[in-house]
Amino acid sequence: MCLAIPGKLEKIIAELDETFRIGSVSFEGVVKEVNLALVPEAQIGDYLLVHVGAAIGIINEEEAKSTMKVLKQMGEGI
C-alpha cells in the first residue's frame, strides 16, 4: 500500500529542462522540495498528491482538504 499526501505547490525552485522541475510544496505549513517530473502541467497554486518526494497527481482544493482531514483523524486514533 502506498500513501500520497496532499500539498500546495508554492513555487518552482528549479527547472533543469521542460520536464524535470523541482517545486516547493506546503503541507499545511511544512514545506518540502518535491520532484514535479510526473506532473509537468502543474502550476503554482495547484494541489498535488505527493508520494516519497514525487508529485504523482494534481487534485482540486476540496479533495486535498478532505484528504488531509481524514489523515489527521487517523493520526488522532494512534
Side-chain angles (χ1 to χ4, degrees):
M1 178 173 85
C2 69
L3 180 65
I5 307 296
K8 186 174 184 179
L9 181 59
E10 293 189 333
K11 64 181 175 178
I12 307 296
I13 56 177
E15 288 190 71
L16 301 178
D17 58 37
E18 60 189 44
T19 303
F20 190 79
R21 301 180 304 152
I22 301 292
S24 186
V25 176
S26 175
F27 302 91
E28 294 195 339
V30 177
V31 179
K32 299 287 185 180
E33 290 184 6
V34 171
N35 184 317
L36 303 173
L38 297 175
V39 287
E41 68 280 12
Q43 300 292 321
I44 294 171
D46 284 347
Y47 284 84
L48 309 173
L49 285 176
V50 179
H51 175 67
V52 192
I56 60 172
I58 298 172
I59 60 174
N60 65 44
E61 182 176 5
E62 182 180 326
E63 185 176 353
K65 289 181 178 183
S66 174
T67 300
M68 194 55 106
K69 181 179 177 181
V70 170
L71 291 172
K72 284 181 181 179
Q73 289 171 343
M74 290 172 54
E76 291 173 2
I78 294 175

